[in-house]
Amino acid sequence: VPLLRERIDEEAAELVRMTEEQQNLLECCQVNQRVAVEGGAGTGKTILAMEKARRLVEEGKSVRFLCFNKPLAESLNEAADGFVATTFHELCRELALEAGLDFDIPAKPAGQQGFWNDTAPELLVEALERKPEARYDAVIVDEGQDFKLHWWAAIEELLADRETSHLYVFHDPNQDIYSGELSSELGLTPFLLKLNCRNTVRIAEYCSGLLELSADTRKTAPEGTPVKELTVADPNQMVEAVRKLLHHYVNEEGISPDRIVILTGRSLKRSPVYKARELGNHRLVRLDSKTRRPNSILIETLHRFKGLESDIAIVCDIDRSSDSFDPKKLYVAASRARLVLAVIEYEVEEDAGESPLDTAAVA
């Protein structure tokens, strides 16, 4: 039996081919200045957004690429060619300071949410009034489902010409975990991406099942290994389960540690896995860690890793009995895995009443 490492290397090659659906989208964007691209996790939205940005730069357009999640922006900016990729709030800060405006983030957490939601977009609009030359020929937005409704007016102000400038928004309503909303007043032509081209068939089916969606995969998509679902009784068992999985993948299957990510459903302060800091001979590190040992393993919250992907994902600290459990969040986390997925949950007592998953799905 070939090692898991050898099998997933073959499967990875199958997942990188552009689909006919994706090619049609690029043609649609060629003839339409304003397009809203909706697609589930793994349908290739971010890759297509980057490709469209690259083509616009080749045409001589000035392009700004925006998203919500900072780690995603940093990852995209490394691959950006001729344009800048940042978060929406980073753009607000950048242009406000260039226009000579104060960008004073409240020191107390109580005032920070209102600042980022309302004050920062207002400063962006004021900055553009002072510096109209800072506008762009094209604005591309990824993670559009995370943008607040009133932010879109500020984003429209970024366009150099309301009639001829390009605005492309890529979004997935099923990944809306921040209560965002796409404005209906933007005049966007809708385009739907259906085919999952990131995940194996097994992972795509698992993720779709969380939200009772259909799993549309390419005929040539690799079946992949079954999703490993484990249950544990307490935090100590949770830590031990993750340790055993790491040992299996790295020591027994020959997987390189840099192909693995651990995603926790809790904040890092509340995650028993993160608190362990070391599992076996693996030190747990975060995305922004400045020191990465050869045997270190990346660990992050599902929120900070949203928009990114990894060959193997171990999703842990999942508790369906918690009032804060949201199947959309598990969907976001699980869909980060391209080739191998393991999900570790706390046991739920049978007499706990109605399933939180069912309640959330109906709501």
Side-chain angles (χ1 to χ4, degrees):
V1 178
L3 289 175
L4 179 62
R5 180 193 65 215
E6 298 169 356
R7 283 179 281 157
I8 66 175
D9 284 344
E10 295 176 1
E11 293 168 354
E14 285 290 337
L15 290 174
V16 297
R17 298 173 183 169
M18 183 174 289
T19 66
E20 181 178 352
E21 182 182 55
Q22 293 170 323
Q23 293 171 354
N24 291 338
L25 167 62
L26 291 174
E27 293 179 7
C28 175
C29 291
Q30 188 67 27
V31 297
N32 292 276
Q33 275 76 34
R34 295 192 175 206
V35 178
V37 181
E38 178 182 334
T43 52
K45 298 183 298 299
T46 299
I47 293 175
L48 289 170
M50 291 288 283
E51 175 62 16
K52 184 57 186 177
R54 185 189 65 78
R55 294 187 181 191
L56 287 168
V57 169
E58 285 186 349
E59 296 172 10
K61 309 288 187 184
S62 59
V63 179
R64 189 67 184 225
F65 194 108
L66 299 174
C67 63
F68 182 84
N69 200 21
K70 186 175 181 179
L72 175 61
E74 292 172 348
S75 175
L76 296 177
N77 209 33
E78 292 178 359
D81 185 10
F83 60 94
V84 177
T86 63
T87 67
F88 172 68
H89 290 126
E90 286 173 344
L91 174 68
C92 293
R93 184 205 306 267
E94 174 190 324
L95 293 189
L97 294 178
E98 288 182 4
L101 299 172
D102 293 328
F103 199 84
D104 298 325
I105 305 171
K108 296 183 178 179
Q112 292 176 358
Q113 191 67 44
F115 177 85
W116 293 118
N117 281 347
D118 303 317
T119 307
E122 292 169 1
L123 288 171
L124 174 60
V125 173
E126 187 176 348
L128 290 168
E129 292 174 352
R130 294 190 181 190
K131 296 191 62 176
E133 69 276 10
R135 292 180 167 91
Y136 293 87
D137 299 322
V139 175
I140 296 179
V141 178
D142 195 13
E143 300 184 299
Q145 74 280 347
D146 296 329
F147 284 56
K148 302 295 184 184
L149 181 62
H150 59 280
W151 294 0
W152 295 107
I155 290 173
E156 264 201 308
E157 287 294 326
L158 281 168
L159 301 176
D161 189 304
R162 292 289 185 97
E163 300 297 325
T164 61
S165 294
H166 301 260
L167 176 61
Y168 301 116
V169 180
F170 295 76
H171 66 116
D172 178 9
N174 292 312
Q175 295 188 64
D176 172 24
I177 59 177
Y178 295 114
S179 301
E181 185 177 353
L182 186 61
S183 173
S184 60
E185 299 180 0
L186 295 173
L188 301 173
T189 300
F191 191 99
L192 182 63
L193 287 172
K194 292 184 178 180
L195 291 181
N196 183 306
C197 54
R198 174 202 293 149
N199 313 114
T200 64
V201 173
R202 297 284 185 86
I203 295 175
E205 289 176 344
Y206 174 86
C207 295
S208 299
L210 293 170
L211 301 180
E212 299 183 359
L213 305 172
S214 61
D216 297 316
T217 55
R218 294 178 301 176
K219 294 180 180 179
T220 59
E223 178 104 4
T225 60
V227 175
K228 187 178 291 293
E229 299 180 75
L230 304 173
T231 57
V232 297
D234 55 52
N236 290 333
Q237 289 187 15
M238 179 67 70
V239 174
E240 181 63 10
V242 175
R243 186 197 66 78
K244 287 182 177 180
L245 282 174
L246 289 178
H247 177 81
H248 173 70
Y249 292 142
V250 177
N251 298 90
E252 298 176 4
E253 297 288 1
I255 304 294
S256 174
D258 61 10
R259 301 179 72 175
I260 303 172
V261 64
I262 300 171
L263 298 177
T264 172
R266 295 180 174 180
S267 66
L268 294 180
K269 292 181 179 179
R270 297 181 59 245
S271 167
V273 178
Y274 179 72
K275 288 179 180 179
R277 299 303 172 95
E278 291 191 7
L279 298 175
N281 61 341
H282 300 289
R283 181 166 181 79
L284 304 184
V285 297
R286 300 192 63 190
L287 279 168
D288 52 5
S289 176
K290 296 180 180 179
T291 56
R292 295 286 294 271
R293 300 175 184 174
N295 220 31
S296 60
I297 298 288
L298 180 64
I299 183 170
E300 268 301 345
T301 65
L302 63 89
H303 294 85
R304 275 183 57 83
F305 205 74
K306 192 170 72 67
L308 302 175
E309 62 183 41
S310 179
D311 285 346
I312 299 177
I314 301 173
V315 181
C316 62
D317 298 328
I318 301 300
D319 186 357
R320 292 177 186 257
S321 65
S322 170
D323 293 337
S324 62
F325 175 77
D326 182 351
K328 282 187 176 181
K329 294 181 180 180
L330 181 53
Y331 170 82
V332 168
S335 60
R336 301 308 97 200
R338 298 178 67 241
L339 305 167
V340 178
L341 171 64
V343 180
I344 314 173
E345 302 186 28
Y346 287 107
E347 296 174 353
V348 178
E349 296 182 5
E350 294 183 1
D351 60 351
E354 186 178 21
S355 166
L357 176 62
D358 297 336
T359 303
V362 172

